[in-house]
């Protein structure tokens, strides 16, 4: 054993398990030993044990450990262990230095000489550490612990003021350990050193690497700040500005734990509300940012900066502060115009922010100081538009914000509206209309603000005159709808007390009637320009509104001389509104004004007292016609008939009103008939026929005649109804009502059992009706009627048309196809009968694919009949084919026919109707048996010798055997239905057939399904 090895073992024994080393591979119980502690573990370990009666300070402990490790080094241990010891010793010395260095320098009671001695002692200790670090790095250049040693060396050199040497170590460390745990700190130190050396580009690179490093929180804020300064020093002002924004973001984000700060909004945010350290940094950053912006394009550069960084989480919180600081900075420099631009830039950037409103007032003060009155007016208008009631800002503003802005909004809008109104009064023509429109808009803005509940304490005068001014401005601007609404609100406001206000109200009330007429005139002109026709709905609405306003004026001011003309209008409104009491009142109002006796129950006795002027006659004519119309609307038709006779006394025969009332007279007679048709039908018929006698030119005459026929039909007076309908059909072949006459005649002929005539009328309906259910049903019913009339030929033709035309409804179409097959069964035309059977099956398959639920029991039975009948027909053809030599030709024809029959019988089986399934099953079995029998009895070739013929016979048996077996199998399946209590003659026949066939066949091994398929 060498001395070194011995010393290594001794050191291991001395230090217990403190040092890391190699274990002997011969130790069998290695797995049971405790994990050996390393020097690295000791470096991080703080012993919790205390030696009795002994307590050591951190300095004492470090000195003691250093002494122990120094002694270990004198023993010349193993190189690896020596290395660990030296590194641990360096660590202990570092800890001791950090604990002792400058420990007492903050004690002001120490004399200067003692402080100086302490500093000298610290410098010596620091130099000693530097030497140790450098020696370790030189002796052990590849050790992993060098990362920490080199880090400590760089710090120590920095403490000594050797910036170049410290920087060299930092660069070396970053180069050798690019992922070092000290990455953020080292780059920050690099940045500081480069900045102090005025190498700003290198400083920028270092600070940027801090920002991208992990665990950089300690250095992030200062790095951002110094990054901005470095860019500023290089005159890269845009980059500097962006970095300063990042400083603001970090300051705000760092204060989020403070509830008061976190609850700040852009309305009340200021950096002065942050913590003291954040305030100072924010103030410095704002100052340098303002300086940077002032050296660029000032407000333009700030707008570009803010817009380019809208993705920053908090920029909207403090961006207004940046503009305020820049504006104040420029004002301090006596650059008032540039300050104006700065305020305006923010207003343009964030017009819906409360700070834009506040900065508008700042800007207004600047304008006022400089005497820029035009700019002041424009700014005030912009203020009202941007922050008034219709603005996005106001809708979203808080109550406090609205209260803050309302005084300025009232003042600015009032001043602007009165200026515009005064100017509009001096204009002429189109310019006057436009000017009053602007004045009305401005007055409306002011009134909306003044009517706010919170504005009541801010007003200094009553707003009624302003409201009237607003109405007049709208009228002068030809904005009649708004003028009307304003006049009406003034006219019928019950709060007015003074005589002057009531006079304004009466004038406003009449102004409503004038204004609505201007609206109607304007509407008519607009419609004429567009199409020459008036929109009836709009026009009716306007007339109703006009009449209501007339009525309001008459009721409110009945003694006003203008009320008479308006009363006529009110009568029309009352009629339109079906207010017959008011109609009577206004009618009497007009008649009494013209000295005419009012209308009473004896309406025919009304006479005028004095001759009337044309204008008066028109008024009387108008209201008397309305009264007659009201009787009609109240369904007082007998009185209405007399009323129209009266109204016609005041009506010129050449007018449209004369024709209209004649028609209403006919209608009154018509509805008298309608009223008694249930209780006195004969009287009703008489009244209906009277319409044509009294007013032959009326459209009701035609209606009444047809209604009389309908009433006769309802009373089942069939022949009389026919006697009315046939002449009407002949007189008015193209009349719209003639289209329904065939149906009515068909109904009458049906009731009279004149089936062929009824069918003819139904076919007329078919010819004229559009495709649909009615046309289809008429076609079907006509065919049925021909059957009842015994006209089978017409019935067949009509049913055929139906079958070709209407595949739906499915159930009816199938019945018609079956009827067609029955026609041809009766006539003995089998091929035509089979055609319709195939049609039934074809449409059944289609329906099954489209909607299987539509196939009900009856349709299944029809399909079963068709399939079974076709199967029987094919089976008869099958039986008729003889098997002659050569066998393969005749056998193929016979099998092809058999397959067709099987296909039809299989459909019967698929339909699963017990009525047909046993029979079809029996027929299937019989075909197989018949085929086997026919094969055995088929014609033999004539050119075979005895042996060949014997072999041929065996071949026939082999060919016939599967078919015979199949027949037995099918018969057996048929007989098994007896177990389900299904017994009919065909099941019994299957039993009998099985009894006739050789029982030995049951013992034969059944051929596989594949063999039978092969034969097929």
């Amino acid at each position: 054993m060498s001395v070194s090895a011995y010393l290594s073992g001794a050191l291991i024994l001395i230090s217990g398990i403190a040092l890391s080393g190699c274990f002997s591979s011969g130790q069998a119980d290695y797995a049971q030993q405790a994990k050996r502690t390393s020097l690295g573990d000791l470096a991080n370990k703080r012993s919790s044990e205390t030696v009795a009666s002994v307590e050591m300070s951190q300095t004492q402990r470090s000195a003691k450990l250093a002494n122990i490790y120094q002694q270990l080094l004198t023993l010349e241990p193993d190189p690896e262990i020596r290395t660990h010891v030296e590194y641990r010793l360096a660590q202990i010395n570092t800890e001791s230095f950090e604990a002792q260095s400058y420990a007492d320098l903050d004690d002001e009671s120490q004399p200067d000489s003692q402080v100086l001695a302490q500093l000298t002692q610290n410098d010596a200790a620091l130099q000693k550490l530097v030497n140790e670090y450098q020696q370790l790095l030189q002796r052990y250049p590849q050790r992993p612990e060098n990362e920490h040693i080199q880090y400590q060396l760089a710090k120590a050199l920095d403490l000594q003021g050797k910036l170049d040497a410290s920087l060299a170590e930092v660069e070396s460390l970053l180069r050798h350990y690019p992922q070092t745990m000290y990455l953020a700190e080292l780059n920050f130190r690099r940045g500081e050193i480069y900045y102090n050396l005025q190498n700003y580009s290198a400083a920028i690179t270092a600070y940027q690497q801090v920002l991208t490093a992990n665990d950089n929180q300690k250095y992030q804020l200062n790095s951002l700040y110094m990054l901005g300064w470095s860019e500023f020093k290089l005159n890269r002002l845009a980059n500097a500005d962006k970095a300063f924004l990042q400083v603001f973001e970090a300051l705000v984000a760092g204060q989020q734990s403070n509830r008061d700060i976190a609850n700040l909004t852009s309305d009340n945010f200021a950096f002065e509300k942050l913590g003291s350290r954040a305030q100072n940094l924010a103030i410095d950053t704002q100052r340098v940012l303002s300086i940077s912006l002032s050296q660029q394009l000032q407000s333009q550069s700030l707008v570009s900066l803010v817009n380019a960084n809208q993705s920053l989480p908090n920029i909207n919180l403090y961006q207004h502060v940046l503009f305020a600081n820049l504006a104040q900075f420029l004002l301090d420099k006596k650059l008032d115009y540039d300050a104006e631009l700065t305020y305006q830039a923010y207003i343009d950037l964030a017009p819906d922010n409360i700070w834009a409103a506040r900065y508008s007032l700042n800007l207004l003060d600047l304008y006022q100081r400089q005497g820029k009155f035009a700019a002041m007016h424009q700014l005030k208008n912009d203020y009202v538009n941007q922050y008034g009631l219709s603005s996005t800002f106001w809708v979203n503003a808080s109550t406090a914000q609205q209260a803050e802005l309302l005084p300025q909004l009232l003042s600015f809008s009032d001043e602007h509206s009165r200026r515009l109104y005064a100017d509009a009064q001096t204009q002429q023509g189109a310019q006057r209309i436009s000017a009053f429109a602007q004045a009305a808009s401005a007055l409306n803005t002011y009134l909306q603000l003044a009517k706010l509940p919170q504005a009541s304490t801010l007003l200094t005068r009553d707003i009624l005159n302003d409201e009237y001014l607003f109405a007049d401005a709208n009228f002068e601007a030809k904005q009649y709808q708004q003028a009307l609404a304003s006049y009406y609100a003034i006219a019928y406001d019950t709060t007015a007390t003074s005589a002057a206000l009531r006079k304004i109200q009466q004038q406003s009330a009449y102004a409503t009637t004038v204004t609505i007429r201007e609206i109607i005139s304007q509407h008519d002109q607009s419609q004429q320009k567009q199409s020459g026709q008036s929109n009836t709905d709009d026009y009716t609405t306007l007339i109703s509104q006009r009449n209501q306003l007339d009525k309001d004026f008459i009721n409110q001011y009945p003694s006003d001389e203008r009320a008479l003309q308006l009363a006529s209008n009110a009568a029309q409104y009352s009629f339109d509104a079906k207010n017959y009491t008011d109609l009577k009142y206004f009618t009497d109002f007009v008649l009494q004004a013209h000295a005419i006796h009012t209308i009473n129950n004896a309406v025919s006795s009304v006479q005028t007292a004095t001759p009337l002027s044309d204008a008066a006659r028109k008024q009387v004519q108008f209201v008397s016609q309305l009264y007659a119309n009201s009787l009609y609307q109240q369904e007082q038709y007998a009185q209405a008939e007399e009323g129209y006779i009266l109204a016609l006394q005041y009506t010129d025969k050449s007018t449209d009103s004369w024709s209209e009332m004649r028609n209403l007279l006919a209608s009154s007679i018509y509805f008298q008939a309608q009223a008694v048709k249930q209780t006195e039908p004969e009287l009703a018929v008489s009244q209906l026929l009277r319409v044509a006698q009294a007013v032959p030119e009326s459209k009701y005459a035609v209606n009444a005649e047809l209604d009389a026929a309908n009433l006769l039909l309802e009373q089942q007076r069939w022949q009389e109804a026919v006697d009315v309908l046939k002449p009407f059909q002949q007189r008015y072949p193209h009349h719209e009502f003639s289209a329904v006459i065939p149906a009515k005649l068909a109904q009458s002929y049906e009731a009279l059992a004149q089936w062929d005539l009824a069918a003819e009328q139904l076919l007329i309906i078919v010819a004229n009706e559009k495709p649909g259910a009615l046309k289809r049903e008429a076609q079907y019913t006509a065919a049925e009627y021909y059957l009842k009339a015994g006209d089978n030929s017409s019935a067949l033709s009509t049913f055929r048309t139906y079958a070709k035309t209407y595949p739906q409804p499915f159930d009816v179409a199938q019945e018609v196809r079956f009827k067609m097959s029955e026609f041809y069964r009766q006539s003995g035309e089998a091929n035509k009968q089979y055609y319709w059977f195939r049609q039934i099956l074809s449409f059944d398959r289609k329906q099954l694919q489209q909607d299987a639920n539509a196939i009900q029991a009856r349709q299944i039975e029809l399909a079963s009949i068709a399939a079974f009948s076709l199967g029987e027909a094919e089976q008869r053809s099958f039986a008729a084919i003889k098997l002659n030599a050569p066998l393969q030709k005749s056998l193929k024809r016979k099998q092809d026919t058999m397959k067709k029959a099987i296909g039809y019988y299989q459909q019967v089986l698929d339909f699963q109707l017990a009525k047909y399934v046993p029979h079809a099953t029996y027929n299937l079995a019989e075909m197989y048996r018949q085929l086997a029998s026919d094969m055995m009895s088929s014609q033999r070739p004539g050119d075979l010798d005895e042996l060949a013929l014997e072999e041929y016979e065996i071949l026939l048996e082999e060919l016939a055997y599967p078919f015979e077996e199949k027949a037995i199998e099918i018969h057996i399946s048929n007989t098994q239905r007896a177990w389900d209590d299904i017994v009919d003659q065909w099941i019994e026949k299957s039993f009998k057939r099985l009894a006739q066939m050789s029982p030995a066949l049951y013992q034969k091994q059944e051929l596989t399904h594949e063999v039978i398929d092969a034969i097929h």
Side-chain angles (χ1 to χ4, degrees):
M1 179 181 292
S2 67
V3 175
S4 296
Y6 178 83
L7 289 175
S8 295
L11 284 172
I12 292 172
L13 291 174
I14 293 172
S15 59
I17 58 173
L19 302 180
S20 61
C22 299
F23 285 146
S24 170
S25 61
Q27 293 177 302
D29 58 348
Y30 169 76
Q32 283 74 35
Q33 296 183 13
K35 182 179 180 295
R36 183 174 293 168
T37 304
S38 68
L39 286 175
D41 296 330
L42 286 176
N44 299 317
K45 182 178 180 181
R46 295 292 182 266
S47 175
S48 61
E49 298 179 1
T50 57
V51 180
S53 303
V54 176
E55 291 186 359
M56 301 177 67
S57 66
Q58 176 63 37
T59 302
Q60 292 171 334
R61 186 176 297 106
S62 296
K64 188 67 174 177
L65 289 173
N67 184 51
I68 293 173
Y69 278 104
Q70 193 65 48
Q71 290 176 3
L72 289 177
L73 289 175
T74 63
L75 298 177
E76 298 183 359
D78 180 87
E80 181 64 24
I81 294 177
R82 181 179 182 86
T83 302
H84 282 294
V85 171
E86 289 182 352
Y87 275 95
R88 175 61 177 145
L89 181 58
Q91 182 181 14
I92 291 172
N93 291 334
T94 302
E95 293 172 353
S96 178
F97 173 79
E98 291 174 348
Q100 293 181 4
S101 184
Y102 310 110
D104 300 323
L105 295 183
D106 293 334
D107 188 356
E108 297 180 357
S109 63
Q110 295 185 45
D112 292 344
S113 59
Q114 187 175 344
V115 172
L116 183 60
Q118 180 65 43
L119 290 173
T120 303
Q121 181 180 353
N122 289 345
D123 289 343
L126 182 59
Q127 183 58 48
K128 181 180 178 182
L129 279 176
V130 169
N131 295 337
E132 288 183 5
Y133 297 149
Q134 290 175 337
Q135 290 171 10
L136 284 173
L137 293 172
Q138 186 175 4
R139 289 202 303 272
Y140 310 112
Q142 302 301 324
R143 296 295 299 182
E145 296 91 336
N146 287 352
E147 176 185 350
H148 182 69
I149 295 298
Q150 198 165 8
Y151 165 74
Q152 295 289 2
L153 176 59
K155 287 178 62 176
L157 292 171
D158 186 49
L159 288 174
Q160 290 180 323
K162 299 176 181 179
L163 297 183
D164 291 338
S166 177
L167 180 60
E169 293 299 329
V170 170
E171 297 286 11
S172 174
L173 177 57
L174 291 175
R175 188 166 55 254
H176 289 94
Y177 304 99
Q179 301 300 324
T180 177
M181 60 186 294
Y182 308 112
L183 184 63
E185 179 183 352
L186 292 174
N187 276 301
F188 182 74
R189 292 186 182 279
R190 286 175 65 224
E192 286 185 315
I193 294 171
Y194 281 130
Y195 187 88
N196 290 331
L197 296 175
Q198 298 185 1
N199 188 349
Y200 301 117
S201 296
I204 290 172
T205 302
Y207 289 131
Q208 288 174 338
Q209 290 179 356
V210 174
L211 298 177
T212 59
N214 295 327
D215 300 325
N216 65 353
Q217 294 83 356
K218 182 177 179 181
Y219 308 99
Q220 182 184 29
L221 184 58
N222 286 339
S223 294
L224 287 170
Y225 179 71
M226 293 307 300
L227 175 63
W229 267 108
S230 299
E231 295 282 8
F232 182 80
K233 290 292 186 178
L234 290 175
N235 203 35
R236 300 195 318 214
L237 301 181
N239 292 344
D241 297 345
K242 185 175 181 181
F244 292 138
L245 285 187
Q246 294 289 346
V247 173
F248 295 139
E249 287 291 316
L251 287 173
V252 174
Q255 298 286 319
Q256 292 304 306
S257 59
N258 185 331
R259 180 177 300 177
D260 294 336
I261 302 303
N263 291 333
L264 290 177
T265 66
S266 62
D267 289 5
N268 56 9
F269 179 85
F271 284 112
E272 289 75 7
K273 296 182 180 182
L274 302 181
S276 58
R277 180 178 180 275
Q279 285 185 40
N280 294 332
L281 184 57
I283 291 171
D284 287 342
T285 306
Q286 292 176 74
R287 180 181 60 82
V288 67
L289 177 59
S290 295
I291 294 172
S292 173
L293 293 169
S294 69
Q295 295 177 10
Q296 302 175 64
L297 297 177
Q298 300 174 348
S299 59
Q300 293 182 39
S301 298
L302 180 52
V303 170
S304 298
L305 176 66
V306 169
N307 284 333
N309 290 275
Q310 282 300 304
S311 60
L312 295 178
N314 301 301
I315 191 169
N316 290 322
L317 190 65
Y318 59 79
Q319 65 182 17
H320 65 277
V321 178
L322 309 182
F323 284 86
N325 286 329
L326 178 58
Q328 189 59 49
F329 178 85
L330 295 171
L331 288 173
D332 293 341
K333 300 297 182 181
K334 308 301 182 182
L335 301 173
D336 290 1
Y337 177 72
D338 295 323
E340 291 175 11
L341 294 180
T342 302
Y343 283 128
Q344 187 63 52
Y346 182 82
I347 295 169
D348 295 339
L349 175 68
D352 291 327
N353 193 289
I354 186 64
W355 286 100
R358 294 165 180 169
Y359 292 164
S360 294
L361 299 181
N362 293 348
L363 188 56
L364 189 63
D365 290 340
L366 289 175
Y367 286 159
Q368 187 170 14
R369 274 187 270 164
Q370 300 174 65
K372 297 180 178 180
F373 300 112
M376 288 177 62
H377 295 326
Q378 183 61 48
L379 182 58
K380 289 178 180 180
N381 294 342
D382 293 343
Y383 189 96
V384 174
N385 293 331
Q386 183 63 38
Y387 308 110
L389 295 183
S390 61
S391 68
T392 302
F393 176 87
W394 186 271
V395 171
N396 299 316
S398 65
T399 302
Q401 290 175 337
Q402 293 177 352
E404 179 183 342
L405 269 62
L406 187 55
Q408 287 76 28
L409 291 172
L410 285 169
S411 175
F412 296 165
S413 61
D414 184 29
E415 175 187 338
H416 180 58
S417 62
R418 291 184 174 278
R419 184 185 302 110
L420 289 179
Y421 192 91
D423 176 69
Q425 291 178 309
T426 66
Q427 304 295 326
Q428 298 295 327
Q431 291 181 349
R432 178 183 178 86
I433 295 173
S434 176
F436 270 112
Q438 294 179 26
S441 176
L443 282 164
N444 181 54
T445 300
Y446 169 73
L447 287 172
Q448 288 181 352
L449 291 164
K451 291 178 181 179
L452 290 174
Q454 59 267 40
S456 59
T457 59
L458 302 174
L459 300 178
T460 58
R461 65 175 185 275
D462 193 305
I463 64 172
L464 181 62
N465 288 319
D466 292 312
E467 291 177 335
Y468 191 77
L469 202 65
F470 173 62
D472 279 350
N474 278 292
F475 188 89
E476 293 291 343
K478 299 187 182 300
Q479 297 173 166
Y480 297 121
Q481 287 289 359
Q482 182 59 62
L484 178 61
S486 300
Y487 282 134
Y488 189 87
I490 297 170
Y492 301 103
D493 183 4
T494 59
T495 61
T497 56
S498 67
L501 293 180
R502 287 195 294 271
K503 184 176 181 180
I504 292 176
Q505 283 188 299
Q506 183 170 357
Q507 186 59 32
S508 295
Y510 188 73
T512 62
T513 67
V514 175
T515 306
I516 189 61
R517 284 164 172 77
E518 292 291 345
I519 293 174
I520 294 171
S521 175
Q522 190 180 62
H523 173 271
D524 291 342
Q525 293 174 9
S526 174
Q527 293 298 320
Q528 290 174 3
K529 289 180 180 180
Q530 293 179 10
S531 61
Q533 297 180 352
S534 175
N535 185 303
T536 303
D537 292 339
D538 291 346
Y539 188 76
T540 301
T541 301
L542 292 174
I543 291 298
S544 299
Q545 189 176 10
R546 181 195 67 186
N547 294 333
Q548 180 62 51
L549 294 171
D550 291 348
K551 179 182 177 183
D552 290 341
F553 183 84
I554 293 168
N555 290 335
Q556 191 77 9
Y557 307 103
S559 61
D560 192 299
E561 62 182 5
R562 296 167 291 191
L564 181 61
Q565 181 59 45
L566 297 179
S568 298
N569 297 333
Q572 177 69 65
Y573 166 75
S574 299
F575 173 80
D576 293 340
K578 295 182 171 41
N579 188 339
Y580 301 120
T581 301
D582 283 355
L583 173 60
K584 183 68 164 60
Y585 169 78
F586 291 119
T587 300
D588 289 348
F589 182 88
V590 174
L591 295 179
Q592 289 173 354
H594 294 295
I596 299 175
H597 295 296
T598 58
I599 299 175
N600 53 36
N601 292 333
V603 292
S604 60
S605 64
V606 175
Q607 298 178 358
T608 57
T610 56
L612 301 177
S613 65
D614 289 342
R617 179 180 177 82
K618 289 180 180 179
Q619 286 183 341
V620 172
Q621 175 187 352
F622 179 68
V623 297
S624 61
Q625 288 177 3
L626 287 179
Y627 183 75
N629 288 341
S630 73
L631 292 171
Y632 180 89
Q633 288 193 347
Q634 295 175 78
E635 299 182 359
Q636 299 175 16
Y637 298 117
Q639 296 90 331
E641 180 180 357
E642 297 299 326
Y644 284 120
I645 293 173
L646 169 66
L648 286 168
Q649 296 178 24
Y650 296 94
T651 306
D652 188 341
K653 294 183 178 180
S654 64
T655 63
D656 293 338
S657 296
W658 171 269
S659 300
E660 179 182 354
M661 281 194 291
R662 287 281 293 170
N663 197 50
L664 288 170
L665 176 62
S667 176
S668 299
I669 301 172
Y670 176 82
F671 282 114
Q672 289 178 60
Q674 294 296 318
V676 299
K677 70 177 184 179
Q678 298 297 331
T679 57
E680 300 177 80
E682 293 184 2
L683 176 59
V685 170
S686 174
Q687 291 278 42
L688 288 169
L689 296 178
R690 189 169 69 86
V691 174
Q693 300 170 1
V695 192
E697 77 277 11
S698 171
K699 64 180 181 180
Y700 282 95
V702 177
N703 291 353
E705 191 170 356
L706 188 62
D707 285 355
N710 289 335
L711 195 55
L712 291 170
L713 290 173
E714 291 177 6
Q715 299 173 54
Q716 298 184 3
R717 294 155 64 181
W718 308 112
Q719 190 57 54
E720 293 178 67
V722 169
D723 293 341
V724 174
L725 289 170
K726 288 296 289 184
F728 185 95
Q729 190 180 44
Q730 294 169 359
R731 287 198 307 274
Y732 308 108
H734 302 297
H735 194 279
E736 59 179 334
F737 290 154
S738 295
V740 302
I741 289 180
K744 298 179 182 298
L745 287 174
Q747 180 187 14
S748 300
Y749 289 136
E750 178 184 359
L752 295 170
Q754 298 175 1
W755 305 112
D756 52 343
L757 297 177
E760 290 175 2
Q761 295 299 321
L762 289 172
L763 290 181
I764 292 175
I765 294 174
V766 171
N768 297 320
E769 186 68 22
K770 294 179 180 179
L774 177 60
K775 186 181 184 79
R776 172 177 52 76
E777 292 172 3
Q779 180 76 31
Y780 184 88
T781 305
E784 290 287 338
Y785 285 176
Y786 277 128
L787 278 180
K788 289 185 178 182
D791 188 351
N792 288 347
S793 176
S794 297
L796 174 62
S797 174
T798 308
F799 272 128
R800 181 187 295 110
T801 300
Y802 184 97
K804 297 290 187 182
T805 308
Y806 303 107
Q808 295 293 336
F810 177 70
D811 55 344
V812 178
Q814 289 292 76
E815 291 288 354
V816 171
R817 296 182 187 104
F818 184 71
K819 287 178 183 292
M820 294 298 297
S821 70
E822 286 295 288
F823 276 123
Y824 290 120
R825 180 185 63 79
Q826 294 172 7
S827 65
E829 298 175 84
N831 287 336
K832 293 182 179 181
Q833 180 188 15
Y834 296 156
Y835 167 81
W836 288 105
F837 281 153
R838 287 191 292 272
Q839 288 291 297
I840 290 173
L841 293 178
S842 174
F843 280 95
D844 184 83
R845 286 191 297 272
K846 293 178 181 178
Q847 189 63 39
L848 182 64
Q849 295 173 355
Q850 296 173 0
D851 183 10
N853 294 327
I855 303 176
Q856 303 298 322
R858 173 58 180 168
Q859 290 80 59
I860 294 174
E861 181 173 10
L862 294 179
S864 298
I865 292 172
F868 187 84
S869 299
L870 290 170
E872 281 191 320
E874 294 294 342
Q875 186 174 3
R876 288 192 293 271
S877 298
F878 162 80
I881 297 173
K882 303 299 181 181
L883 295 180
N884 299 319
L887 180 62
Q888 63 271 21
K889 292 184 178 181
S890 57
L891 178 59
K892 184 179 186 308
R893 287 194 300 111
K894 195 174 187 71
Q895 285 182 314
D896 289 343
T897 307
M898 180 180 177
K899 287 179 181 178
K900 293 179 182 178
I902 290 173
Y904 287 123
Y905 284 137
Q906 186 59 53
Q907 292 184 58
V908 175
L909 299 181
D910 291 342
F911 295 140
Q912 298 182 3
L913 283 183
K915 183 178 179 181
Y916 301 101
V917 168
H919 194 174
T921 304
Y922 178 82
N923 286 0
L924 274 172
E926 283 300 285
M927 278 198 297
Y928 280 104
R929 187 191 63 77
Q930 183 68 44
L931 180 58
S933 175
D934 287 353
M935 288 180 67
M936 292 305 299
S937 61
S938 63
Q939 181 183 20
R940 272 50 170 179
D943 55 351
L944 300 179
D945 60 13
E946 184 176 354
L947 290 177
L949 185 57
E950 180 180 356
E951 185 174 340
Y952 184 79
E953 295 285 351
I954 295 172
L955 175 60
L956 288 177
E957 289 181 3
E958 290 295 327
L959 290 173
Y961 175 75
F963 296 110
E964 188 173 350
E965 286 291 292
K966 188 66 174 178
I968 293 172
E969 177 187 338
I970 296 174
H971 275 305
I972 290 173
S973 68
N974 207 22
T975 59
Q976 287 175 345
R977 292 188 173 89
W979 296 101
D980 297 328
D981 294 331
I982 301 174
V983 179
D984 65 3
Q985 59 173 324
W986 303 106
I987 295 175
E988 292 177 356
K989 285 186 177 183
S990 286
F991 275 115
K992 292 178 182 179
R993 181 63 72 187
L994 288 172
Q996 293 172 3
M997 301 175 77
S998 174
L1001 292 175
Y1002 293 105
Q1003 306 303 321
K1004 290 183 179 180
Q1005 184 177 359
E1006 184 178 339
L1007 292 180
T1008 64
H1009 181 67
E1010 289 79 9
V1011 173
I1012 295 175
D1013 287 343
I1015 292 176
H1016 286 291

